[in-house]
Amino acid sequence: MTDMLSDRDATRIDDVIARRAEAAFGFLERLVAAPSTVGQETEAQAVVAEELDRLGFTVWRIPVPASIADDPAAGVPQVPYTGRHDVYGVTDDDSAPKLLLNGHIDVVPAHDADLWSGDPFVPVRRDGWLYGRGAGDMKCGFAMASLALDGLRGAGVDLPGPLGFLSAIEEECTGHGTLAAARAGVLGDNVLLMEPTGLDILVAGIGVLWIEIEVGSAGGHAEVADRSGNPVRSLSRLIAALRRFEERMNEENPDPVFATVPHPYNVNIGRICSGDWASSVPARARASIRVGFPRLWSPAQAEEAVREVILAEAAEDPWLAEHPPVVRSSGFRAEGYALDPAHPLVTTVAAAHKAAHGTTPSPYAIGSTTDARFYLNQFNRPALCYGPNVRNMHGVDEAVELASIVAGARTLARVIPTLLAEGTGFPQPDPEGLR
Ligand SMILES: [Zn+2]
């Protein structure tokens, strides 16, 4: 594949990127200051739409139909879709994008805000890092892409083909934003997701299932606790069984794609709700759990395996045997995915990174999911993630290294013209190819 940029163009682009970096950081700060947890994406999407308009895109809103829940690749919707939408920018209304950039605007909650150094939704810069919920996952990717496009525009480099830019909702719980847009025809011959990757190339992810377990009790005064069952204790027993299931899953399902990931399939107890008074036996307890599972399992198989573990453990417990727990699917039903690390999309991004930085980034796999799975599994489009260097994603004091936004933009500004010129030249990935 030929490099589309002359050395003189590349130098000019890097100069513009350096000059415009501050504006991109400002864009990121506006995004972080628009809290976009699930159901609350409108303000942040307006910030994205304004930026895409400034960059010369024609901007559309893409609704997510309620019928998305019936899609075979869907998860379980969290909140109604009325008034919520993806934002889609395209440089040419008449032809399909040769390259689609994908970012997700949604962020996870930051309920333990008092543990942060500052308000999670007030961006703060310190020692070259920008702190805030979503600064790392993944609003920094929007800033990186915007800066790359600013660099190309400012250097007078015309895009050699149509480019699309999708800002999707619900990547953190179902993937329905990206799935709905793709079903509506928002695709590219190649797709780059600007997820934070430390400027390496993320090519594969595991399956992810969300389940909720609910257990009940007779409830009542603490005086009857010895004979009423206690749902928190019941839940602890079921969680211990899931822990043993997790270890078996990791031992019994080696996958060469995840050979470098020591423990790919984590079962995470994400939320527990129960009770209202120290002297009352709670009437019920609920746990929201994320189950990572092998790439060769379908989400339905994973759910069945989890359900079996829970019900078998419940059968061993006198109270639970009489009051079986309810197990329900509650969000992600995500298949694993993998792009061959030798795929030309990977080598093209690696070559652009090398041209910008002199080093070769590593393709890698991770024990989590991204929206790349839809492009690879449902739509046969090559897709990978490349983005800035971050820390504490989903955690306290989440942050992005500002210099890595600039570095990533320099790579992206080199790869965008190449991929727009190349068009459909790449082979489509075979979803079964790496299985
Ligand atoms: Zn993300």
Side-chain angles (χ1 to χ4, degrees):
M1 155 157 306
T2 50
D3 192 345
M4 293 306 296
L5 296 179
S6 69
D7 285 351
R8 250 187 55 221
D9 279 347
T11 308
R12 270 212 322 276
I13 291 168
D14 286 348
D15 285 348
V16 179
I17 285 176
R19 276 206 310 278
R20 294 286 304 165
E22 185 50 43
F25 301 158
F27 169 47
L28 174 55
E29 285 172 337
R30 291 196 298 284
L31 284 177
V32 171
S36 46
T37 49
V38 63
Q40 307 295 321
E41 306 91 351
T42 309
E43 185 188 348
Q45 288 292 55
V47 174
V48 173
E50 191 185 335
E51 182 74 355
L52 290 178
D53 180 64
R54 184 187 71 77
L55 290 165
F57 287 89
T58 304
V59 183
W60 301 86
R61 287 178 171 191
I62 312 272
V64 179
S67 61
I68 195 75
D70 303 326
D71 193 292
V76 177
Q78 307 292 298
V79 277
Y81 290 108
T82 317
R84 304 168 59 214
H85 54 84
D86 292 337
V87 164
Y88 176 52
V90 64
T91 56
D92 176 353
D93 274 336
D94 297 325
S95 38
K98 290 188 170 179
L99 170 65
L100 179 66
L101 301 175
N102 172 305
H104 66 83
I105 197 64
D106 56 314
V107 302
V108 299
H111 285 177
D112 294 316
D114 57 306
L115 300 177
W116 286 60
S117 311
D119 185 328
F121 295 105
V122 175
V124 172
R125 295 189 210 179
R126 200 165 54 237
D127 303 327
W129 291 73
L130 190 147
Y131 292 80
R133 173 59 83 232
D137 187 9
M138 61 154 279
K139 289 172 171 175
C140 59
F142 287 82
M144 175 185 78
S146 159
L147 184 53
L149 293 168
D150 241 356
L152 289 165
R153 274 161 63 90
V157 176
D158 287 331
L159 299 183
L163 173 69
F165 190 126
L166 178 68
S167 174
I169 63 172
E170 282 203 12
E171 188 273 351
E172 297 285 5
C173 51
T174 62
H176 290 174
T178 286
L179 179 60
R183 291 286 185 222
V186 172
L187 289 165
D189 295 344
N190 295 286
V191 184
L192 294 182
L193 299 96
M194 299 91 72
E195 293 273 14
T197 64
L199 303 177
D200 281 323
I201 298 175
L202 174 60
V203 293
I206 56 161
V208 173
L209 173 75
W210 274 14
I211 54 154
E212 188 176 82
I213 303 175
E214 182 173 323
V215 291
S217 83
H221 192 283
E223 174 270 328
V224 304
D226 59 321
R227 49 206 187 270
S228 67
N230 182 299
V232 177
R233 286 202 187 151
S234 300
L235 207 48
S236 314
R237 175 167 189 159
L238 300 177
I239 287 169
L242 277 178
R243 174 86 200 178
R244 295 190 293 274
F245 165 73
E246 175 185 14
E247 291 322 309
R248 278 200 309 279
M249 196 166 38
N250 280 281
E251 278 162 26
E252 293 169 5
N253 296 279
D255 181 341
V257 168
F258 299 102
T260 58
V261 184
H263 194 269
Y265 315 122
N266 288 342
V267 173
N268 181 64
I269 315 302
R271 190 170 53 165
I272 292 186
C273 307
S274 185
D276 54 12
W277 197 250
S279 288
S280 302
V281 178
R284 76 178 162 206
R286 286 195 188 118
S288 301
I289 298 172
R290 173 272 207 195
V291 178
F293 64 85
R295 219 162 39 93
L296 299 186
W297 296 8
S298 68
Q301 270 175 290
E303 185 183 345
E304 197 41 47
V306 171
R307 195 179 294 276
E308 258 173 43
V309 166
I310 300 289
L311 296 182
E313 185 66 19
E316 301 287 311
D317 177 277
W319 175 270
L320 285 173
E322 298 288 310
H323 307 82
V326 177
V327 181
R328 52 176 95 86
S329 181
S330 63
F332 274 124
R333 298 180 64 82
E335 295 176 306
Y337 67 93
L339 177 66
D340 185 344
H343 190 277
L345 180 59
V346 180
T347 51
T348 300
V349 173
H353 178 101
K354 187 163 192 220
H357 307 292
T359 54
T360 303
S362 311
Y364 71 105
I366 191 172
S368 69
T369 191
T370 70
D371 279 351
R373 69 181 178 276
F374 296 117
Y375 298 111
L376 289 160
N377 295 341
Q378 272 72 41
F379 298 94
N380 282 34
R381 307 297 167 115
L384 60 77
C385 301
Y386 176 88
N389 185 34
V390 305
R391 60 189 181 206
N392 290 13
M393 283 193 295
H394 293 213
V396 170
D397 284 345
E398 173 178 344
V400 58
E401 185 186 17
L402 290 169
S404 73
I405 295 175
V406 180
R410 292 177 56 210
T411 301
L412 211 52
R414 284 162 171 80
V415 90
I416 287 171
T418 310
L419 290 174
L420 291 180
E422 191 66 16
T424 53
F426 290 168
Q428 292 192 340
D430 174 4
E432 298 303 316
L434 282 178
R435 292 189 181 245

